[in-house]
Amino acid sequence: MQNIRNIAIIAHVDHGKTTLVDKILHFTNLFRDSENKGDLILDNNDLERERGITIVSKNVSVTYQGVKINVIDTPGHADFGGEVERVLKMADGVILLVDAFEGPMPQTRFVTQKALGLGLKPIVVVNKVDKENCRPDEVYENVFDLFFSLDANEEQLDFPVLYGSSKQGWMSTDWKEPKEDFTDLLDAILKHIPAAPVVEGTLQMQITSLDYSTFVGRIAVGRVARGLIKEGQPVSLVKRDGKIVKSRVKELYVFEGLGKARVTEVKSGDICAVVGIEGFDIGDTIADFENPEQLEVMHIDEPTMNMLFTINNSPFFGKEGKYVTSRHIHDRLQKELEKNLALRVVPTESPDAWLVYGRGILHLSVLIETMRREGYELQVGQPQVIVKEIDGVKCEPIEVMVVDVPAEVSGKVIELVTQRKGELLVMETKGEMQHLEFEIPSRGIIGLRNNVLTATAGEAVMAHRLKGYEPWRGTIPGRLHGVLISLDKGTTTAYSIDKLQDRGKFFVDPGVDIYEGQILGEHIRDNDLTINIVKGKQLTNMRASGTDDNTRIAPAIKFSLEESMEYIQADEYIEVTPESTRLRKIYLTENERKINAKKFQ
C-alpha cells in the first residue's frame, strides 16, 4: 500500500463542495500567508463564477500527516452527470456533502447511486449546521434511508458522519461541539478511505479527463490502474472500439496542490497527467507496448434532450460575431465532443444545421453561452425531448421533481405541475416550507421554472433528476400567449411602444435596432400579432396642451439564455451572438409564415 488517498467530493448543487475544497487547501497550508487566497479557488472559469456552480470537475492534491490526498471536485447538477460518472473512476472513496436543512436532494441521489454502484467507501458530511432551522440528526437519518434504498452494502451503510460548516472552517464528529479546524475530517479520510493499492503487472491506465496547454496541446488525465508508467516509455493506446495505436509518453506530471509537478514515473493508484499521446479520446486505455490489455469502456447515461444548432441567417448576421460560418460551428461542436462525454452531435439534411443532444437545458445552455463568449454567432431551435419506442410502446423521459415552497402558495405550484401531466407523490412540511415531490415528463419541466417562480414570488426551490423512460403521458399545453412580431426593420421608438403597451409586454427598449420577423414581446391573447414600433411621431408646427405628455413605458422583460430556451416554440429560433440574444420567427415575413404554418402544427 502507498500513502495515497483518492477521494471525490459529491453533493447536490449549492451544498458547499467547492467551499469545502477551498478550506481543505487553506488548512493544509497550501498557501503562504502573504498570498491572496480568495474563495471558490477551483471555480476558475467565468461561467462557473457567475453562476456559482461547478461545471467541470477539477483535480487538486494536499498532503496531511505525510499522506497525499488527491481531491476531485465534481459538479452537483444532474445535467453535468457525464462529468461525475467518469471522474468517479479515479476515486477510492467519496465525501458526500449534504445541507443540514435541505437534506439529500434529487441530484444527491443521482451521484450517490453512481458512487455506491462502483463500490466506493463513503464519508458523509452534514454541512451548514450554522444555518437557522437546521436539522442535522434528521438529515443523518435521511442519508441512511437513501443509502439503504440504493442497495448499499453493509460496509457502505456503516459510514462515518461529520458535522460542520465549510464557510466557518470547522468539522466535528458532534454538531453540538464545534471544533477549531478540519482535523476531524482529514483524520476520517485517512482512517476510513482505503489507501490506493499498488497493482503489479503490465501498464493499464484509463483516460478519464482532458487537460489542455497552449504549449504541448492535449494532455491525458487518469489514474494508473496497474503497473507503472514512465517518462519516454513506448505505450499502446487502445481505443474504445479496440483499435490499437502505438505511441510514446513524452512527459509525466502528478497533481501537487493546485498545479502539477513533473516526475519520471508514476505507480499504480496515483492520478497523473500524460503529455505526448496523440489522438486519444476519453475512455481510451493507455496500455503496455507489447501486450496491450484494455480496461472496461466507460458507459455514460444517454442524453434526454436535443436542440437544432444552425448558422445565423438573420438580417443582422456577422455584425457582432467573429465565427459565423457553418465550418466554424461544425469544428467547434466536434471539439466539444472530445471532452463533453454526455453530448452527441448528429448532422441533419441541411449542411448548415446539426442536432445537438444533451442532458438537459442547463447542459446545452452552458455550451451555447461558452460558444457565444468565444465569438460565435449561431441560432438554436426549441429544445425537444428524446422519445423512444420500448416494446412497441411510445415512451418519454420522466423526471422526479422536488419543490420546496412556502405553505400558502403550495396550491398554485401543484396546479401548475398537474397541468403539465405531473403527479404529486409526496407532500410534507419541512420547517416553514412545504416539501412537494412529483413525477413529471421532461417536456413538462421546459418552461415550468419561470411560471413557478412567478406564482411563488421567487420563493420556490426546484430540483429534478431523470427517473427513466415511461409511456407517453399525452399532450402538454404550450405557451399560453402569442407573441408580438416586428413588421419592419428599423430602430424602436418610445412613441410607438407607448401606444402599443395595451397589446402586451415588450422584450425590447426604445432605441434598439430590430428587423422584420423579430419577436418584440408577448401578446395579451393566444395568437401572434404583427406590429410596427419603428414609427415615430408625426411632427407638425401645431402644438396643443396635453398632447406632448412624456411617454410612460413599462421596463422591458429581459430573458436569460435558459429562459429564452424554455420560452420559444417550434416555429421560433434564438439568435445568439457575442453581444445579444434575440428571439425571432424561423420565417421572417408574414407571407412565408402563412405558407409554412402547417409544418409546426
Side-chain angles (χ1 to χ4, degrees):
M1 291 292 180
Q2 337 176 56
N3 280 344
I4 295 177
R5 305 284 189 279
N6 296 315
I7 191 154
I9 300 189
I10 58 175
H12 180 80
V13 68
D14 223 16
H15 278 195
K17 293 180 301 300
T18 306
T19 307
L20 179 75
V21 179
D22 280 1
K23 290 295 193 277
I24 291 175
L25 294 174
H26 291 156
F27 176 63
T28 50
N29 297 327
L30 198 62
F31 301 100
R32 294 193 303 275
D33 293 339
S34 59
E35 280 188 89
N36 175 17
K37 298 167 182 173
D39 59 352
L40 300 180
I41 300 159
L42 292 192
D43 284 352
N44 49 14
N45 125 6
D46 291 343
L47 263 182
E48 293 183 315
R49 283 200 165 271
E50 281 167 31
R51 291 165 184 253
I53 59 173
T54 303
I55 295 170
V56 184
S57 58
K58 322 276 189 321
N59 292 54
V60 292
S61 85
V62 295
T63 304
Y64 176 70
Q65 292 186 1
V67 177
K68 179 181 180 182
I69 303 172
N70 284 316
V71 182
I72 307 159
D73 182 23
T74 65
H77 213 287
D79 279 22
F80 307 113
E83 197 60 37
V84 180
E85 285 169 54
R86 63 170 202 232
V87 297
L88 286 177
K89 284 275 185 92
M90 293 196 269
D92 294 306
V94 290
I95 294 179
L96 172 64
L97 206 64
V98 187
D99 186 298
F101 170 67
E102 292 182 347
M105 296 288 279
Q107 285 149 20
T108 319
R109 185 187 180 95
F110 173 83
V111 286
T112 309
Q113 189 173 9
K114 299 287 176 198
L116 295 178
L118 288 167
L120 302 179
K121 174 77 181 171
I123 292 176
V124 173
V125 173
V126 179
N127 194 24
K128 305 192 184 183
V129 297
D130 53 324
K131 277 171 84 171
E132 289 176 34
N133 314 343
C134 70
R135 34 192 202 99
D137 295 328
E138 271 181 69
V139 167
Y140 169 70
E141 296 295 330
N142 294 349
V143 173
F144 187 87
D145 294 344
L146 170 67
F147 277 42
F148 190 76
S149 68
L150 292 175
D151 298 331
N153 60 36
E154 289 201 12
E155 194 186 346
Q156 289 171 330
L157 282 173
D158 184 22
F159 55 84
V161 62
L162 292 119
Y163 303 91
S165 163
S166 299
K167 202 169 184 183
Q168 293 180 353
W170 64 271
M171 287 285 154
S172 170
T173 48
D174 184 349
W175 64 279
K176 293 173 187 138
E177 294 179 19
K179 295 280 181 75
E180 294 295 310
D181 54 30
F182 272 77
T183 311
D184 284 11
L185 174 62
L186 292 164
D187 287 344
I189 292 173
L190 299 195
K191 183 178 172 188
H192 297 284
I193 302 297
V198 176
V199 183
E200 297 295 336
T202 53
L203 169 65
Q204 271 188 320
M205 168 184 158
Q206 189 157 44
I207 299 169
T208 42
S209 60
L210 275 182
D211 209 342
Y212 186 79
S213 152
T214 44
F215 300 108
V216 294
R218 294 166 75 227
I219 302 169
V221 178
R223 174 179 168 168
V224 183
R226 191 176 72 188
L228 55 90
I229 185 166
K230 294 178 182 173
E231 209 172 89
Q233 176 181 355
V235 291
S236 298
L237 179 70
V238 187
K239 306 288 288 176
R240 292 171 75 110
D241 57 8
K243 195 172 140 208
I244 295 170
V245 182
K246 301 298 183 189
S247 193
R248 183 180 291 275
V249 177
K250 281 187 188 156
E251 294 171 14
L252 268 184
Y253 294 87
V254 291
F255 291 90
E256 201 167 275
L258 288 169
K260 300 187 187 83
R262 189 167 174 179
V263 290
T264 52
E265 64 174 47
V266 179
K267 292 181 183 168
S268 60
D270 204 353
I271 296 170
C272 67
V274 182
V275 174
I277 308 283
E278 294 290 325
F280 64 83
D281 292 305
I282 289 172
D284 293 351
T285 305
I286 297 175
D288 186 61
F289 185 75
E290 289 174 355
N291 302 311
E293 290 177 53
Q294 187 173 15
L295 282 161
E296 186 189 346
V297 176
M298 283 184 273
H299 292 289
I300 299 284
D301 286 358
E302 289 293 307
T304 57
M305 196 171 277
N306 68 34
M307 281 177 81
L308 185 78
F309 279 46
T310 179
I311 59 165
N312 184 8
N313 60 2
S314 84
F316 292 170
F317 127 91
K319 283 189 175 180
E320 296 169 4
K322 197 161 56 166
Y323 308 112
V324 294
T325 65
S326 56
R327 183 176 61 82
H328 284 135
I329 296 171
H330 174 263
D331 291 351
R332 178 64 184 81
L333 290 173
Q334 292 304 317
K335 189 176 152 198
E336 187 67 24
L337 284 177
E338 290 182 358
K339 60 179 188 293
N340 200 332
L341 277 197
L343 206 71
R344 305 265 186 287
V345 176
V346 178
T348 62
E349 291 171 4
S350 160
D352 297 335
W354 302 265
L355 274 179
V356 179
Y357 290 74
R359 279 282 179 87
I361 293 266
L362 187 64
H363 187 201
L364 292 167
S365 79
V366 165
L367 168 62
I368 296 164
E369 181 66 30
T370 309
M371 287 175 68
R372 178 172 98 93
R373 289 177 183 214
E374 289 170 4
Y376 287 85
E377 269 190 29
L378 67 154
Q379 294 183 138
V380 293
Q382 184 191 27
Q384 306 283 347
V385 299
I386 296 167
V387 180
K388 291 182 178 178
E389 194 165 297
I390 302 170
D391 299 331
V393 180
K394 183 182 180 184
C395 292
E396 64 174 331
I398 301 289
E399 311 227 3
V400 173
M401 183 170 76
V402 172
V403 186
D404 287 322
V405 67
E408 61 273 15
V409 286
S410 59
K412 290 181 184 172
V413 174
I414 294 169
E415 185 187 350
L416 282 169
V417 177
T418 46
Q419 279 172 359
R420 290 167 169 263
K421 303 286 191 245
E423 286 175 28
L424 182 63
L425 305 176
V426 177
M427 185 175 182
E428 58 192 25
T429 307
K430 250 194 199 180
E432 295 162 15
M433 305 287 270
Q434 200 78 27
H435 177 77
L436 309 171
E437 284 186 27
F438 301 92
E439 270 188 14
I440 179 170
S442 293
R443 10 179 220 129
I445 292 177
I446 298 174
L448 179 65
R449 186 179 296 272
N450 271 354
N451 298 350
V452 167
L453 290 175
T454 307
T456 61
E459 292 208 37
V461 177
M462 283 173 65
H464 50 88
R465 68 174 176 87
L466 184 67
K467 182 190 172 202
Y469 277 78
E470 289 182 12
W472 183 261
R473 296 247 172 123
T475 52
I476 290 176
R479 196 168 60 201
L480 300 174
H481 298 279
V483 288
L484 302 172
I485 306 166
S486 172
L487 176 69
D488 216 344
K489 185 177 179 180
T491 305
T492 58
T493 63
Y495 169 77
S496 294
I497 292 177
D498 181 44
K499 291 280 176 273
L500 289 163
Q501 280 191 109
D502 57 342
R503 294 302 177 93
K505 300 172 187 164
F506 281 92
F507 303 155
V508 289
D509 293 309
V512 173
D513 288 338
I514 57 169
Y515 52 80
E516 183 183 3
Q518 187 175 333
I519 295 171
L520 306 173
E522 184 170 88
H523 193 198
I524 51 172
R525 301 214 170 108
D526 61 0
N527 62 318
D528 293 347
L529 180 69
T530 308
I531 57 169
N532 181 352
I533 61 167
V534 298
K535 198 164 53 174
K537 185 175 182 180
Q538 293 299 316
L539 296 178
T540 66
N541 57 1
M542 302 288 284
R543 286 284 176 273
S545 63
T547 55
D548 283 343
D549 280 354
N550 284 336
T551 53
R552 293 189 182 88
I553 298 174
I557 297 169
K558 300 292 182 194
F559 284 152
S560 70
L561 181 58
E562 276 106 72
E563 287 166 344
S564 302
M565 287 161 71
E566 294 187 341
Y567 186 78
I568 61 169
Q569 298 295 300
D571 63 337
E572 294 161 6
Y573 278 155
I574 307 167
E575 178 189 349
V576 184
T577 72
E579 289 168 39
S580 39
T581 55
R582 303 181 188 91
L583 306 186
R584 56 160 282 186
K585 289 288 182 184
I586 293 178
Y587 295 101
L588 295 178
T589 65
E590 195 156 7
N591 199 26
E592 281 182 312
R593 287 197 291 277
K594 282 177 181 166
I595 293 168
N596 294 287
K598 284 184 180 170
K599 281 187 188 178
F600 304 109
Q601 284 170 359

